[in-house]
Amino acid sequence: MADEVILLNFCPSVFGMRIRIALAEKGIEYEYREEDLKNKSPLLLKMNPVHKKIPVLIHNGKPVCESLIAVEYIDEVWKEKAPILPSDPYQRAQARFWADYVDKKVYAAARNVWATKGEEQEAAKKEFIEILKVLEGELGDKPYFGGETFGLTDISLIGYYCWFYAYETFGNFSIESECPKLIAWAKRCMEKESVSKSLADPHTVYDFVLGVKKRLGLE
Amino acid sequence: MAEEVKLFRTWSSPFPLRIVWALKLKGIEYETILEDLQNKSSLLLQYNPVHKKVPVLLHNGKPILESLVILEYIEETWKQHPLLPEDPFEKATARFWARFNDEELLPSIWNASTKQGKEQEEAIVQVEENLKYVEEELKGNVFFGGETIGYLDLAFGWLANLVSVLEEVTGLSLTASGKFPLLSAWMQNFSDAPVIKECWPPRDKLIIRYQAMIEKYTAVAAPK
C-alpha cells in the first residue's frame, strides 16, 4: 500500500520547517497543506485537538504532533535512507539534549527580540545572543552538530536562520558579528537542497513578523 | 568491563525519580549521589553546565541529561524490560504525552497550587482539562504502558504521590474530587507496584517541603 503523508503547516513556522527538512532528507513524497491560523481547518482541529497547532504530520490517517517527535517518527519509519539520529545511544542522547535545548530556549528568547522595544529589547538581544553562543560552543569546529553528518540538532535549529533577517532588522544588530561560526554552519546547511527548499524566504518572514507586530500593537 | 552507573538526584525531586524507577525496573545497579540544590556540588556543575540541574545520569563517566532523554538512553542501552512500545506511531504517542506532562500538566498543577483568586480559578479549569486528556489516554488499560509499567507511566508517575501532597497542603481537590476514576485507579496501581512503592520519598517530609515552597511562592506573588 502506498504511504499517504500529509503535512499541515504554516509557511513561516520554524517547527514546520523541521518536518519539511526531514521529509526531504528521506525523499518522502507528501501533500503539503498551508493552514490559515485565523481559520483553522477541521482536519487540523481533529488531528491536533490538544494543542490545535501546526505542524501536524499525518501518516496514513494517523497524526503525529510536535515537530521533534515527528522528526524522530520519520527517522524510525523510513530508516533505510539518510539517518537523522546516530545509532550510538550516547550520541543519540546528545542530539536529543541539544534539540531539547533549542526548543526550551531559542523560541522565547527570539520572540522577545522582535516583540519588545528599548531597554527590554536590549536585554532580549543579549539573552538571545548568549543562547546562540552556547550553541556555537557546542558546535565547535564540527561541520554539523552531530559531527560529519547533518542530523537532529541541526534540523531543530536551522529553521530559525530564515528568521535572522527579521530579528536583525527589528533588533538593529548583526547576529553574524556575534556568532560567525554559527552563521557559517547555517550557510553550510543551506547548501543542502532539503534545507534550502524547506526554509521560508527571509523577506516573507519579515513581512509576517511586521504583520504580527502591527496586529498586536507592538510597533 | 564492569558498568559504572551513577545518578545525581535530590531526595524529593520527581524528575530524577523517573530514572530511579527505570533503573530498578531494568535491574541496573547504580550509585546515588544526593545533591542539595541550594549548594550544588562541583561535579554536578561540571556534568551539567548548561542547566545545572538534576537528574544527571553518569554511565562509564559520560553524562546524560534531561529526564526524558535519560529514559530513552536507558531504554536503548539496556534492552531488558522494554519501557517503550516498538511501533513508531505508539512510540510517538507516548513521547507526545510525556511532553504534555512536562510542558502543560505539571505547570498547570503548579499554577493551581501557587496562584490566588481568579488566576487560581483559571488554573484549576486548565488542570481539569489536562487531567481529562490523561484519563482518556489510559484507554481503559491498567497502565499507560498497557499490562505493565512503561515510559509514559514513569513520565506521569509523579502524579501518583505529589498530587495528594499538593492537595493536602493547599486544600484543593484535583484528582481527589473523583472526577477522574480511571486516573485515580492508575495512581493507586502505580503507587502499589513494588518497584515504585519502595522509592517514594517520605510523605511527611514532602508535606513540609511543599508547604514551605508554596508559602514562598504565594508570599512573593501576593500584592503588598
Side-chain angles (χ1 to χ4, degrees):
Chain A
M1 185 189 78
D3 279 312
E4 190 202 51
V5 182
I6 301 172
L7 175 63
L8 303 181
N9 193 33
F10 178 63
C11 169
S13 163
V14 297
F15 306 106
M17 287 172 212
R18 293 167 172 176
I19 301 182
R20 296 184 67 179
I21 293 169
L23 290 168
E25 282 283 297
K26 302 274 184 181
I28 298 160
E29 280 189 27
Y30 67 100
E31 186 192 331
Y32 178 94
R33 292 195 200 170
E34 183 78 5
E35 284 281 333
D36 174 2
L37 297 186
K38 294 193 235 51
N39 187 19
K40 292 175 182 176
S41 72
L43 184 64
L44 174 57
L45 300 177
K46 180 174 166 214
M47 292 283 131
N48 192 356
V50 175
H51 299 305
K52 305 175 177 52
K53 285 183 179 174
I54 56 89
V56 180
L57 180 76
I58 308 174
H59 182 209
N60 296 331
K62 297 202 283 193
V64 182
C65 306
E66 296 299 312
S67 58
L68 291 180
I69 293 175
V71 170
E72 287 218 36
Y73 174 83
I74 289 167
D75 201 37
E76 284 159 15
V77 172
W78 289 277
K79 48 180 178 278
E80 315 76 29
K81 187 180 170 190
I84 291 171
L85 273 152
S87 50
D88 171 68
Y90 182 71
Q91 302 300 335
R92 290 163 76 87
Q94 292 293 97
R96 285 172 175 144
F97 171 81
W98 285 106
D100 176 72
Y101 177 85
V102 170
D103 258 9
K104 281 188 161 81
K105 297 282 192 180
V106 178
Y107 184 83
R111 191 179 192 278
N112 285 338
V113 167
W114 60 260
T116 59
K117 287 189 289 213
E119 267 184 47
E120 239 192 301
Q121 192 182 50
E122 290 307 306
K125 280 154 64 177
K126 190 161 168 277
E127 197 196 338
F128 180 63
I129 292 292
E130 268 168 31
I131 290 164
L132 292 186
K133 286 195 166 172
V134 169
L135 286 163
E136 202 179 41
E138 173 55 24
L139 177 67
D141 291 319
K142 307 193 293 283
Y144 301 106
F145 279 91
E148 295 300 314
T149 44
F150 181 75
L152 183 73
T153 309
D154 306 281
I155 292 176
S156 72
L157 183 60
I158 190 60
Y160 285 100
Y161 180 58
C162 65
W163 282 66
F164 281 6
Y165 171 69
Y167 302 150
E168 288 173 319
T169 312
F170 289 119
N172 192 30
F173 69 129
S174 158
I175 296 173
E176 185 159 15
S177 64
E178 301 274 1
C179 304
K181 278 187 165 172
L182 200 64
I183 297 299
W185 160 84
K187 289 180 177 165
R188 190 177 304 123
C189 291
M190 287 294 283
E191 287 170 12
K192 295 171 71 64
E193 204 181 335
S194 61
V195 175
S196 61
K197 292 221 153 122
S198 302
L199 262 54
D201 179 85
H203 290 94
T204 308
V205 171
Y206 174 84
D207 287 339
F208 166 69
V209 177
L210 189 61
V212 174
K213 278 170 72 91
K214 282 187 177 156
R215 219 173 50 237
L216 298 176
L218 292 171
E219 293 158 278
Chain B
M1 185 187 77
E3 301 265 33
E4 190 197 55
V5 181
K6 297 186 186 185
L7 177 64
F8 288 78
R9 66 180 183 95
T10 61
W11 70 269
S12 62
S13 170
F15 297 98
L17 203 48
R18 294 168 166 174
I19 313 306
V20 170
W21 292 327
L23 292 169
K24 282 192 182 282
L25 284 168
K26 292 199 180 248
I28 300 157
E29 282 192 24
Y30 68 100
E31 184 194 329
T32 292
I33 297 165
L34 274 179
E35 287 285 328
D36 170 7
L37 295 184
Q38 306 302 321
N39 188 17
K40 294 171 185 177
S41 73
S42 54
L43 270 183
L44 176 64
L45 298 175
Q46 177 196 325
Y47 289 125
N48 192 355
V50 173
H51 297 306
K52 306 178 178 45
K53 285 182 180 175
V54 291
V56 174
L57 184 78
L58 214 56
H59 183 205
N60 295 332
K62 297 202 284 197
I64 302 105
L65 314 169
E66 291 301 303
S67 62
L68 295 180
V69 174
I70 298 172
L71 285 182
E72 300 245 13
Y73 176 82
I74 289 173
E75 176 76 345
E76 288 164 6
T77 305
W78 292 282
K79 311 267 195 225
Q80 66 273 28
H81 199 298
L83 298 171
L84 273 162
E86 277 201 35
D87 173 69
F89 181 73
E90 288 177 34
K91 214 187 280 196
T93 306
R95 287 169 174 158
F96 173 88
W97 288 109
R99 203 174 154 124
F100 176 83
N101 176 78
D102 283 9
E103 293 181 2
E104 308 285 336
L105 178 61
L106 195 153
S108 69
I109 291 180
W110 185 246
N111 277 342
S113 306
T114 53
K115 302 248 183 257
Q116 318 233 285
K118 188 155 181 291
E119 268 189 299
Q120 188 181 46
E121 281 169 28
E122 285 168 2
I124 292 170
V125 168
Q126 190 62 61
V127 169
E128 298 207 334
E129 260 177 52
N130 291 341
L131 288 176
K132 206 158 149 268
Y133 285 125
V134 180
E135 168 113 337
E136 277 166 21
E137 189 49 29
L138 263 172
K139 301 185 170 86
N141 288 326
V142 179
F143 297 112
F144 291 97
E147 299 291 311
T148 52
I149 288 173
Y151 165 92
L152 193 50
D153 299 277
L154 302 191
F156 281 132
W158 72 280
L159 291 168
N161 89 325
L162 271 187
V163 165
S164 71
V165 167
L166 291 170
E167 284 171 335
E168 189 175 319
V169 166
T170 60
L172 287 175
S173 172
L174 299 170
T175 57
S177 60
K179 282 187 191 168
F180 309 102
L182 295 179
L183 186 59
S184 299
W186 168 82
M187 282 161 68
Q188 195 64 56
N189 288 326
F190 183 77
S191 274
D192 288 345
V195 158
I196 308 299
K197 197 170 182 168
E198 69 195 21
C199 301
W200 290 129
R203 189 186 168 81
D204 49 354
K205 275 181 83 177
L206 282 176
I207 300 271
I208 295 171
R209 172 173 169 70
Y210 281 95
Q211 181 97 50
M213 269 174 86
I214 286 170
E215 271 169 21
K216 193 175 99 180
Y217 274 90
T218 44
V220 162
K224 295 190 170 46

